[in-house]
Amino acid sequence: MNSSRGSEMLKGFKELYSRDQLLTMTGILHVLVFFCMVSLIFMDSRLLLGINIWIKPMKFALSIAVYTLTLAVIMKYVRNRAIQKIVSYITSIGFILEMIIIIFQAAQGKKSHFNFDTPLDITIFSIMGVIIGIVTIALIILFIHLVRNKIDLPHHYALALKSGLFISIVGALIGGYMSSHSKHTVNGDDGGPGLFVLNWSTLVGDWRVAHFFGLHALQCIPLLTFILTNKLHNEKSKTRVTWAISILYASFVLFTFIEAAYGKPLIKT
């Protein structure tokens, strides 16, 4: 059984690698970083804003790993080689730089985001903003390309992919909106009581909720589409279900954004 699972994993890795080598290796790198951060949590007890300093790098490493490996899957459907390279290189280099900065600041016991304590901290945060802005532009380029060209997938899967990409772009823009306010909470200061590991505020509004669910629409909508349409046989029915999933998911992201804007937490304790 273990040998079979190992063989399947190796086969999956080879498939991803054949679709986009750079994105695949970036994803695997961040999986390794994730486990390193988990180890550091047990070795270093320093706190920042009430939580272990390595929790944030851990979360970012996992999120980046999922994001880049998902893009590697999508690259099979990108017909333009130049666009594939642009998206792959910008995304990979951008996230590696972002991760280095987050780890660098965490090692010093400092915030990486919304840190205006020193000129260096301000410069670092500004650089991160530029990096993520460029990565978001690359995602928009990918979205436009896939909308303008036929995707070699059943219609409902193609729809799930496009809607997931669109909402992910919205999620990235929410991150920019947070940056414009220099904080992620509303009606309170960053830090304080929050949900386990995620640390979303349980006292006041927190835009990170909408940011998170928006960004990961790229994984959630296709996955939900697969689960909920798997037993259906009519393509029109599958497409209707996919539209319903996309609209409901987008509505949930909008709801969490508005709730945060009014200073209300997703879950109050």
Side-chain angles (χ1 to χ4, degrees):
M1 181 67 73
N2 290 335
S3 175
S4 175
R5 286 181 181 177
S7 177
E8 287 297 318
M9 288 179 64
L10 181 60
K11 183 179 178 181
F13 173 77
K14 287 181 177 178
E15 173 63 24
L16 277 178
Y17 193 76
S18 69
R19 295 188 181 197
D20 194 289
Q21 297 177 9
L22 185 56
L23 284 170
T24 300
M25 295 311 298
T26 301
I28 297 300
L29 171 64
H30 283 85
V31 170
L32 297 176
V33 171
F34 166 77
F35 285 111
C36 288
M37 296 301 105
V38 171
S39 299
L40 285 172
I41 289 172
F42 294 99
M43 298 167 61
D44 189 342
S45 60
R46 287 181 294 164
L47 302 178
L48 180 64
L49 296 178
I51 61 171
N52 187 282
I53 60 171
W54 299 110
I55 287 180
K56 182 173 182 176
M58 177 195 73
K59 292 190 297 182
F60 269 77
L62 182 59
S63 182
I64 291 171
V66 172
Y67 185 92
T68 51
L69 291 174
T70 302
L71 284 190
V73 172
I74 294 172
M75 287 305 166
K76 178 180 179 180
Y77 310 107
V78 177
R79 297 185 176 186
N80 189 308
R81 184 68 176 170
I83 288 178
Q84 178 180 354
K85 284 188 174 182
I86 288 170
V87 174
S88 178
Y89 275 86
I90 288 177
T91 303
S92 297
I93 294 171
F95 277 135
I96 289 171
L97 291 174
E98 181 93 350
M99 199 70 243
I100 289 172
I101 291 171
I102 291 171
I103 292 173
F104 173 75
Q105 290 291 75
Q108 300 180 86
K110 290 184 174 183
K111 294 189 298 180
S112 52
H113 292 73
F114 315 125
N115 188 342
F116 307 100
D117 292 343
T118 69
L120 178 59
D121 293 325
I122 294 171
T123 301
I124 287 174
F125 180 51
S126 299
I127 290 171
M128 292 174 69
V130 171
I131 290 171
I132 294 305
I134 295 172
V135 170
T136 302
I137 291 171
L139 190 63
I140 293 171
I141 291 171
L142 176 62
F143 173 71
I144 292 172
H145 173 76
L146 292 177
V147 167
R148 295 179 62 182
N149 293 274
K150 182 176 174 59
I151 301 176
D152 186 22
L153 280 170
H155 180 70
H156 68 289
Y157 281 139
L159 173 62
L161 178 56
K162 291 173 186 177
S163 61
L165 270 169
F166 179 77
I167 298 172
S168 289
I169 292 168
V170 173
L173 295 176
I174 291 172
Y177 184 81
M178 283 193 296
S179 296
S180 70
H181 286 74
S182 301
K183 60 189 300 188
H184 56 73
T185 53
V186 182
N187 290 347
D189 296 323
D190 291 353
L195 295 178
F196 178 68
V197 178
L198 295 170
N199 203 41
W200 298 334
S201 178
T202 54
L203 295 178
V204 296
D206 197 327
W207 278 313
R208 290 178 300 176
V209 181
H211 178 56
F212 173 86
F213 283 108
L215 278 180
H216 290 292
L218 184 55
Q219 294 83 37
C220 293
I221 290 180
L223 179 60
L224 288 170
T225 295
F226 173 77
I227 293 170
L228 297 178
T229 66
N230 195 39
K231 298 294 179 66
L232 300 177
H233 301 289
N234 184 281
E235 183 60 33
K236 287 186 177 180
S237 298
K238 292 182 178 182
T239 299
R240 290 192 193 101
V241 170
T242 305
W243 271 116
I245 292 168
S246 301
I247 292 169
L248 287 171
Y249 194 96
S251 299
F252 176 71
V253 172
L254 179 61
F255 167 76
T256 56
F257 179 82
I258 293 173
E259 281 283 281
Y262 278 99
K264 297 179 181 179
L266 177 66
I267 298 174
K268 190 170 184 176
T269 59

